Amino acid sequence: MIGIPVRLKTAVSLVLLGLLTLLAGIGQLTFWAPAETVTASAPGDSKAAPLTVITPDVLTHQGGSRQINIKGDGKFVVAVGRPDDVDAWVGKTAHNSITGVSADGKSLQVAGTDGEATAPSPAGSDMWVQTENANGQLDYTFTPPASGNWSLLLASDGTKPAPSSVSITYANDATMPWAVPLIVIGAILIVAGAALPFVSKFTRGRGPRRGGPRGGGSTGAGRDSVGEDTPQDSEKPLIGGDTSAGDTNKGMAGGPALRISLIAAAVVTALVGGTAAGAQAAETPSPSGSATTGSGSATASPAGVAAAPAVPVLVDAQLKRILDQVAGAVTAGDAARDASKLAPRVDGTELQVRTQNYKIRSQVATHEARMPVRSSKLLGSVISTQRTWPRTVIALTQGDGNVVPQVLTLVQASPRENYKLKSTSPLQPGTSFPAIPLGGTAQLAAGDKTGLQYSGTEAMAALGDRLTKADSAFKDKLVEGTNSPYIADVLDYQASTVKSGTNGDFTFTHTPSPADTAVFRTSDGGAVVVGKLDFNFTSKPKADGDTLTVDKAAAVLAGGDSTKVGLVQTFSESVAIYIPPAGSTAPMKLVAAVRGLVGASFQ
């Protein structure tokens, strides 16, 4: 009877130990659990600078969106941009870069870079995908606006110190790896303790049957007559005298208890060992990818590792915002016939053409206005993945006053300049703009013929020849649609001028402008080239004393309505040409074209 109290004590001990272990595991998931977030702050002794950059390593720390608290003196702006765009805009300006988070997750690592003491205000720059304005303090939630890496730029007006009091709150990745194992271990110990008395009772009931003779009958001498050893005989102790029945039952009852304890211990040991291995694996850092330095510039990829995918220079939201501002500036300029209103958003050929158009229309009421620029309907775009400057993008838009869609070419000359409209040309009737790869496309050098029938330079030269000569060698190699009138109209205009000008000699040239030529890959492996031709129309009297009458529009720019010495009129032709891929038998095709008078002078 001594074994029963021992078994009960063992069972109670297992249950108590299991309860304590279970409570310890639950506690690690509740009142001992770590905080859900952790906040890292920039040190307060950073040297003042006009710009502060928060790099991708900080913004991608722990993954997901994050809360950023920024404090500054007065008004400031937070701008979101690609890391290389932010670096390019910062340039040589002195700045602080928040580059990482300390090992304990409580401090932001800040590096200072000396340089120029001031910079332009970044507010209103086309470089940024998003901006946020604040006064004194801002709680800003950063969520990546698109795939890829991003940086933040903080600045006041570029002359005052940028905000340097920055704290970032992340999701806390600290875990309690023993919580679940402790709960499991505690449950096993409780079950083992609760089951111990019942298992022992069941085993104790089987004992006498095992101790009796195999064939039944009485005990004593009869048992000694059996010729084979019984299991009980093989289990007799080697030391000590006789073993009583009570001692035998005690030993048999202790065996199951010991076995249950050993099984529980083995399970606990296995769980603990497995959990420790899992925790060690979880805490072992995995090899990192390519590192970033400075304010987000990536190191070169090792051999055999794929390079990072090309990133377009604009996202859709940026392009739409830029187009709205460009359209607004052109609308204001057209309404007032004031070229100064165009200057913030129009340059190059388009500025020149519209400026002269306003001048002519101020004196010639019948002169046709330039087609308006609209952004209400964006039909397509060509976004380059070339991340150097100048950057060129194309938009296909249509709106009120656009009988057909317009091809708008915009150029950003340098990082701190905004995109400006360089040219507009209406899509030729019955013509479709070539399909462009989604997510940006490669921009080619004007002279690059790789995979193409012709390079961009050759295509522009071919169009120049085609517009100059009715019997051009490119007559069947560069065509326009059945309903497209541009090439035919130019050739008819030139032929009729020569035929009707009996007292004058006339020459026509169409010369490509290399600086205005841009080439982009299309989805089918071909390319679309946008550019400008200088169309010069020279008139000379056939004989001394002959007089040539000057067109009213040209007369406004030349300063007279007749000449005895000759006249040179200059038109700018904005065009777009599709170039088929190499191996195709299809001809090049004029996609868009328009001309505008930009100059007239007497010789």
Side-chain angles (χ1 to χ4, degrees):
M1 301 299 292
I2 299 175
I4 294 175
V6 173
R7 288 193 297 273
L8 292 176
K9 288 180 180 179
T10 303
V12 170
S13 298
L14 287 173
V15 171
L16 289 175
L17 180 59
L19 286 172
L20 292 174
T21 306
L22 182 66
L23 288 173
I26 294 174
Q28 290 197 8
L29 293 178
T30 55
F31 47 84
W32 290 334
E36 293 183 357
T37 60
V38 60
T39 299
S41 300
D45 57 353
S46 300
K47 183 180 178 181
L51 303 172
T52 298
V53 177
I54 303 178
T55 65
D57 286 345
V58 178
L59 297 178
T60 57
H61 184 68
Q62 305 296 16
S65 61
R66 60 210 74 259
Q67 191 73 21
I68 305 176
N69 180 268
I70 306 168
K71 295 180 181 179
D73 294 331
K75 296 181 180 180
F76 62 88
V77 63
V78 178
V80 182
R82 295 289 186 184
D84 59 334
D85 288 347
V86 172
D87 289 347
W89 197 94
V90 170
K92 297 180 180 179
T93 304
H95 61 281
N96 291 318
S97 297
I98 300 177
T99 58
V101 182
S102 62
D104 61 5
K106 296 181 179 180
S107 299
L108 297 174
Q109 298 167 341
V110 180
T113 301
D114 294 331
E116 298 171 357
T118 63
S121 172
S125 172
D126 288 344
M127 196 72 83
W128 320 129
V129 178
Q130 298 171 351
T131 57
E132 189 84 18
N133 296 308
N135 190 353
Q137 181 173 336
L138 175 66
D139 288 324
Y140 176 70
T141 301
F142 172 74
T143 301
S147 60
N149 289 328
W150 299 94
S151 291
L152 299 184
L153 177 67
L154 315 182
S156 55
D157 61 356
T159 60
K160 299 175 183 178
S164 59
S165 177
V166 178
S167 60
I168 304 180
T169 300
Y170 306 96
N172 191 359
D173 66 346
T175 59
M176 303 295 279
W178 292 99
V180 174
L182 286 174
I183 292 173
V184 174
I185 292 168
I188 291 174
L189 290 175
I190 292 171
V191 172
L196 179 57
F198 300 99
V199 175
S200 299
K201 181 178 179 180
F202 174 76
T203 307
R204 191 167 60 249
R206 292 172 55 198
R209 185 165 62 248
R210 291 179 61 199
R214 295 182 181 182
S218 62
T219 61
R223 186 182 65 181
D224 294 338
S225 65
V226 179
E228 297 179 2
D229 292 336
T230 64
Q232 287 81 4
D233 292 334
S234 63
E235 294 176 3
K236 289 182 180 180
L238 299 177
I239 301 176
D242 296 338
T243 304
S244 63
D247 293 339
T248 302
N249 289 337
K250 177 180 177 182
M252 293 180 67
L258 178 61
R259 283 193 292 273
I260 290 174
S261 300
L262 290 174
I263 290 170
V267 172
V268 170
T269 302
L271 286 172
V272 170
T275 305
Q280 182 179 5
E283 294 173 1
T284 302
S286 60
S288 60
S290 56
T292 58
T293 58
S295 53
S297 57
T299 58
S301 300
V305 178
V311 177
V313 297
L314 294 175
V315 300
D316 291 343
Q318 275 177 290
L319 178 60
K320 187 65 172 66
R321 186 180 70 238
I322 292 166
L323 288 173
D324 287 344
Q325 294 178 8
V326 167
V330 174
T331 299
D334 287 353
R337 298 185 186 181
D338 183 357
S340 66
K341 296 183 181 297
L342 302 175
R345 283 296 186 174
V346 185
D347 199 5
T349 301
E350 196 63 26
L351 179 60
Q352 189 179 22
V353 170
R354 286 187 184 269
T355 299
Q356 300 295 60
N357 184 268
Y358 298 160
K359 184 176 181 179
I360 294 169
R361 288 168 57 213
S362 67
Q363 300 181 43
V364 182
T366 58
H367 190 73
E368 186 177 6
R370 192 75 166 172
M371 185 179 289
V373 173
R374 306 301 187 201
S375 62
S376 55
K377 188 185 295 185
L378 178 60
L379 303 177
S381 62
V382 182
I383 308 299
S384 172
T385 56
Q386 175 184 295
R387 303 196 62 82
T388 56
W389 282 269
R391 292 177 174 179
T392 302
V393 299
I394 299 172
L396 188 66
T397 66
Q398 191 171 17
D400 292 341
N402 299 148
V403 179
V404 294
Q406 273 202 111
V407 178
L408 310 181
T409 302
L410 302 102
V411 177
Q412 185 184 37
S414 66
R416 290 182 176 177
E417 295 183 68
N418 283 339
Y419 281 88
K420 292 188 176 183
L421 181 65
K422 280 295 188 77
S423 68
T424 66
S425 53
L427 197 68
Q428 292 294 283
T431 302
S432 299
F433 196 82
I436 303 297
L438 295 175
T441 188
Q443 183 172 349
L444 306 178
D448 189 352
K449 191 178 176 180
T450 306
L452 301 173
Q453 281 186 2
Y454 299 91
S455 68
T457 301
E458 291 171 337
M460 291 296 292
L463 179 59
D465 191 76
R466 181 84 169 79
L467 292 171
T468 303
K469 306 171 185 176
D471 60 347
S472 169
F474 294 96
K475 185 175 182 178
D476 296 323
K477 298 177 181 178
L478 197 162
V479 300
E480 57 185 344
T482 304
N483 297 322
S484 301
Y486 191 79
I487 296 176
D489 281 358
V490 169
L491 292 174
D492 287 346
Y493 168 72
Q494 293 171 169
S496 62
T497 299
V498 171
K499 183 177 181 180
S500 62
T502 56
N503 61 338
D505 293 324
F506 307 100
T507 58
F508 309 92
T509 61
H510 300 261
T511 307
S513 172
D516 294 291
T517 303
V519 186
F520 302 89
R521 285 284 185 192
T522 54
S523 297
D524 63 355
V528 59
V529 52
V530 292
K532 184 189 80 167
L533 297 168
D534 292 321
F535 173 18
N536 288 326
F537 170 22
T538 303
S539 308
K540 290 185 178 181
K542 281 189 176 180
D544 293 340
D546 287 347
T547 301
L548 297 178
T549 302
V550 178
D551 175 81
K552 290 182 179 180
V556 173
L557 301 183
D561 56 8
S562 64
T563 178
K564 293 181 179 292
V565 295
L567 176 72
V568 177
Q569 298 180 63
T570 302
F571 300 83
S572 283
E573 296 177 295
S574 297
V575 300
I577 307 168
Y578 167 69
I579 306 173
S584 172
T585 57
M588 292 183 287
K589 191 172 185 178
L590 183 65
V591 174
V594 70
R595 67 178 177 269
L597 182 63
V598 294
S601 60
F602 297 120
Q603 291 183 324

